[in-house]
Structures are given as C-alpha cells and as structure tokens.
Amino acid sequence: MNLYLRYFDNETLVSSADDAIEFLSNIDEIGMNPVLEADIREYVASDVFYPKRYKIRPRVYFIIIKTEAATMLDFKEKRAVRGADDMEMKPQRPATSAIMKLNEERDGWYEGTIDFKRVLLVPGTGKFQYRDTHFVAQVRAISGIDCYNRIVEHLRQRVDERSQFPSAKGKNFSFRYLGMAKNQY
C-alpha cells in the first residue's frame, strides 16, 4: 500500500507514514505538529480507503490517497485502481437505478409527489418568504421524468416565479405508475 500526497503543485508517492510525514514537514505552510502526525498515522493504519483531506486554512487543503500504484505514472494513469478484486466480493447493485427508473417509458397514469420551496407573501409585513410545500398530482405521462416535467410546468404557471423546484433525481420527488386507466378514489 502506497500513499499519494498533494499540496498545490507539491506531490509525491510514498510507501509509509514516516515518509509522508517527512514530505509534509518540508512544506512550511502545513505546520506539522504532533496532533496532525498522529492523525496521519491513524489514517494510514486504518482500513479506510477513501481519500483524506486536511484543512490548512480556509479553502486550502492537502490530500492523502491510499493506492496500490507502485509508481507516480501508474497512479496518474489509474492503473492500480483499488476495487477491481473487491468489486467481485460485493453484491452487485440492482441495475434499476433512480435515473433508469425515471427514464423508463411506460405510457399511462402516474402519481407524482414533489416537495418544493414556494414563495408566499406574508400579509402582515408585505414581505415574501419561502415555505416548504408538498404537492401531489395524478398526470398522464410516458415516463417518470415526463411526470416530473408536467407537474413542474403546471406549478410554474400557478406559483411565484421565484419558487424553487428540486431535481427529479433527488429525494424531494417521487412517483409511482398507476396503470393505463386512472383509478377513481
């Protein structure tokens, strides 16, 4: 296991926590201290494989990435990407992701639910405020994304133009297919 470290244009590929700490100690702006050193050693010893970034000052960080790459060229060309063997061990995710469900074409009736930020006038003050609004509609559509587009188009004609609508891929929109004939409740 090697470690890739980068701080702006300073980068290196090292094989141990000691080498990483030595590299970082040579960069004055980082200000190596015992707490940072202990945290780096803990990260290197852990089973965590996601990159770790350390804040130097506001919007300035250095990163450490664990890698199987033996050289900097291998790392840059992503030849030793971790996970090829690990992916075989993990169960595969179902092929029906949220985007695939949204784009799946099934003509008929859909029930779409959307939570959005609606701009409303506060009567006492004459000022406007955003209010969370839950809206449910049954629409004729050919897919989940078409259902979303029809609901948003309907709402845009009836609410303040400053209202904010969520992404169709987010958690604030859901839909279900009702079938070819609209159910009467």
Side-chain angles (χ1 to χ4, degrees):
M1 178 65 53
N2 289 324
L3 302 167
Y4 170 78
L5 292 96
R6 188 174 87 210
Y7 179 72
F8 290 107
D9 292 336
N10 299 323
E11 63 182 359
T12 189
L13 189 70
V14 297
S15 59
S16 68
D18 292 330
D19 293 339
I21 291 167
E22 181 181 336
F23 170 77
L24 294 170
S25 296
N26 292 330
I27 301 172
D28 294 332
E29 297 166 10
I30 291 179
M32 182 58 68
N33 59 48
V35 173
L36 181 58
E37 183 178 332
D39 194 55
I40 291 170
R41 289 185 191 283
E42 182 181 325
Y43 170 71
V44 171
S46 72
D47 292 335
V48 175
F49 284 96
Y50 59 84
K52 178 114 178 176
R53 69 180 192 169
Y54 293 89
K55 188 174 189 174
I56 304 303
R57 59 182 184 273
R59 295 181 298 207
V60 176
Y61 300 86
F62 74 86
I63 63 167
I64 301 177
I65 301 173
K66 291 182 179 179
T67 181
E68 300 289 333
T71 66
M72 185 68 82
L73 182 63
D74 288 347
F75 178 78
K76 295 283 183 165
E77 293 182 357
K78 298 182 178 146
R79 290 187 193 149
V81 174
R82 178 168 173 75
D85 296 332
D86 296 340
M87 292 305 283
E88 294 172 7
M89 303 285 201
K90 295 179 183 176
Q92 295 294 322
R93 280 184 12 185
T96 56
S97 70
I99 296 172
M100 289 177 65
K101 287 181 184 177
L102 273 172
N103 293 323
E104 179 184 342
E105 290 194 10
R106 288 175 70 184
D107 190 23
W109 288 93
Y110 287 81
E111 180 177 87
T113 304
I114 189 167
D115 295 320
F116 68 103
K117 301 278 187 190
R118 184 176 184 178
V119 173
L120 294 172
L121 176 66
V122 178
T125 63
K127 295 182 180 180
F128 292 90
Q129 72 177 21
Y130 285 102
R131 184 143 320 144
D132 290 330
T133 305
H134 183 78
F135 184 80
V136 180
Q138 292 180 352
V139 297
R140 180 73 191 249
I142 59 170
S143 67
I145 193 69
D146 186 37
C147 172
Y148 171 83
N149 290 334
R150 288 175 187 251
I151 290 172
V152 170
E153 180 182 320
H154 172 82
L155 289 171
R156 284 192 196 279
Q157 296 172 3
R158 289 164 177 79
V159 298
D160 191 292
E161 64 189 26
R162 295 170 289 183
S163 297
Q164 298 174 354
F165 297 99
S167 166
K169 298 177 256 182
K171 64 179 180 178
N172 290 325
F173 172 72
S174 62
F175 67 94
R176 66 183 177 109
Y177 180 69
L178 299 175
M180 285 303 293
K182 186 176 176 183
N183 296 339
Q184 297 295 325
Y185 295 106

